[in-house]
Amino acid sequence: MKIAIYHNDNDHSVEVVDELKTKILARDDADIIFDDAHPDIVISVGGDGTLLSAFHAYEQQLDHVRFIGVHTGHLGFYADWQDFELDDLVNSLVHDSKESVEYPIVQANLFFTDQTQRTILALNEIVIKRSFGTLSAIVDINGDYFERFRGDGLSIATPSGSTAYNKAVGGAVVSPSLEAMQLTEIGSINNRVFRTLGSPVILGASDVISVKAPDAETDSVQVAYDTLHFVSEQIEKIEFKIAPTKIKFAKYRHMNFWQRIQTSFIGPEEK
């Protein structure tokens, strides 16, 4: 089995990586080699931001790569392992079951005024905003007009990402067992010209959301996806859909999604 270890630059994370490598190399029964280019498993050491970065580093290999998160950061929503459980993790790697848990991801196809196109993927969400002022956009669903939006921005989130920025702007928490994406308005303005639903919209596997500038106008638009972002004045239209591939997590002891929700946001019941 080929593994890659992806980590942040935090001193503690670097120490954990060194310790993990030492423990793997010390196992005589481990048929494991380190391969950063074409791994079977990517171990992310850090926080959720580190795992999001690892996802994008290997997004072209999602058809065969499985991910594991080792928590050394703050929240660790995607992490199944703590830094003091490395012996158990190594033992699971040695006796790999090859099972995985899959989560849907979202894909955006961007169309620019110079006739070029670009495709991006997101594990958590894709957010579009104006660099300055309010975002003005026409929103279509499956080719039909849905609403004329004006406000701070729009967020299109995956089910696993529904607990992140989407939740902070009033979106619903959605089970990753659903092939779904969620459109959530950010600070919408409603008047006689711009009319929006004003509620999160959850769409299915065959649905397509199209966001385009009204009257063919273009503005400086920020596109933020997970830990990445860029700004463009040439975006004509963006189409969002559920990606045909998913992210896979190694199912050694993958924590149930609702256990993650309870642990991260609610905590233990008071006696």
Side-chain angles (χ1 to χ4, degrees):
M1 180 171 61
K2 298 178 292 184
I3 69 169
I5 302 179
Y6 191 100
H7 62 91
N8 59 29
D9 294 330
N10 180 280
D11 289 342
H12 182 51
S13 295
V14 174
E15 291 174 359
V16 170
V17 169
D18 290 341
E19 184 179 354
L20 179 58
K21 287 182 177 179
T22 299
K23 289 181 180 296
I24 291 172
L25 293 172
R27 289 288 294 258
D28 295 331
D29 57 346
D31 184 18
I32 297 173
I33 62 173
F34 295 100
D35 185 344
D36 290 337
H38 301 287
D40 300 308
I41 286 182
V42 175
I43 302 174
S44 169
V45 179
D48 283 345
T50 308
L51 193 139
L52 291 171
S53 295
F55 163 77
H56 286 286
Y58 292 94
E59 64 178 45
Q60 301 301 320
Q61 302 184 51
L62 295 179
D63 59 334
H64 66 269
V65 167
R66 290 176 292 153
F67 291 82
I68 295 172
V70 177
H71 170 55
T72 63
H74 295 293
L75 182 57
F77 188 84
Y78 285 115
D80 290 307
W81 300 87
Q82 299 290 317
D83 53 6
F84 54 83
E85 299 176 305
L86 298 184
D87 287 327
D88 290 338
L89 173 56
V90 172
N91 192 56
S92 294
L93 288 168
V94 171
H95 300 96
D96 179 38
S97 65
K98 301 190 185 305
E99 293 184 291
S100 62
V101 176
E102 299 183 348
Y103 286 177
I105 58 179
V106 68
Q107 172 181 317
N109 299 319
L110 296 93
F111 300 83
F112 298 89
T113 55
D114 63 0
Q115 307 305 309
T116 60
Q117 298 181 23
R118 177 179 177 183
T119 298
I120 59 176
L121 301 175
L123 174 55
N124 269 4
E125 74 279 307
I126 302 172
V127 176
I128 53 175
K129 295 182 177 182
R130 278 281 311 281
S131 295
F132 300 99
T134 57
L135 176 73
S136 178
I138 300 294
V139 179
D140 294 343
I141 295 180
N142 298 330
D144 295 323
Y145 173 82
F146 181 67
E147 66 181 22
R148 187 179 180 95
F149 176 84
R150 187 176 184 87
D152 290 341
L154 293 166
S155 170
I156 294 83
T158 67
S160 56
S162 68
T163 63
Y165 184 68
N166 170 78
K167 181 176 179 293
V169 295
V173 174
V174 178
S175 170
S177 64
L178 300 176
E179 294 276 342
M181 60 181 170
Q182 183 171 181
L183 170 66
T184 304
E185 300 171 8
I186 307 169
S188 60
I189 300 170
N190 280 280
N191 52 39
R192 288 186 298 175
V193 177
F194 294 90
R195 300 295 301 171
T196 68
L197 181 64
S199 298
V201 179
I202 299 174
L203 300 105
S206 62
D207 293 320
V208 178
I209 303 168
S210 176
V211 178
K212 55 189 176 182
D215 305 321
E217 295 177 358
T218 56
D219 295 309
S220 178
V221 175
Q222 295 185 52
V223 179
Y225 53 114
D226 297 336
T227 58
L228 305 172
H229 77 280
F230 66 91
V231 178
S232 175
E233 296 181 351
Q234 296 183 306
I235 296 177
E236 188 173 88
K237 179 177 68 173
I238 309 177
E239 291 183 348
F240 302 90
K241 63 181 182 179
I242 300 168
T245 187
K246 297 181 179 181
I247 185 172
K248 301 180 181 70
F249 290 92
K251 192 181 179 180
Y252 295 154
R253 59 166 201 188
H254 193 70
M255 185 183 292
N256 176 277
F257 179 76
W258 297 109
Q259 284 182 288
R260 293 179 187 275
I261 299 297
Q262 201 281 334
T263 300
S264 299
F265 298 109
I266 302 171
E269 182 181 359
E270 294 184 4
K271 302 297 184 181

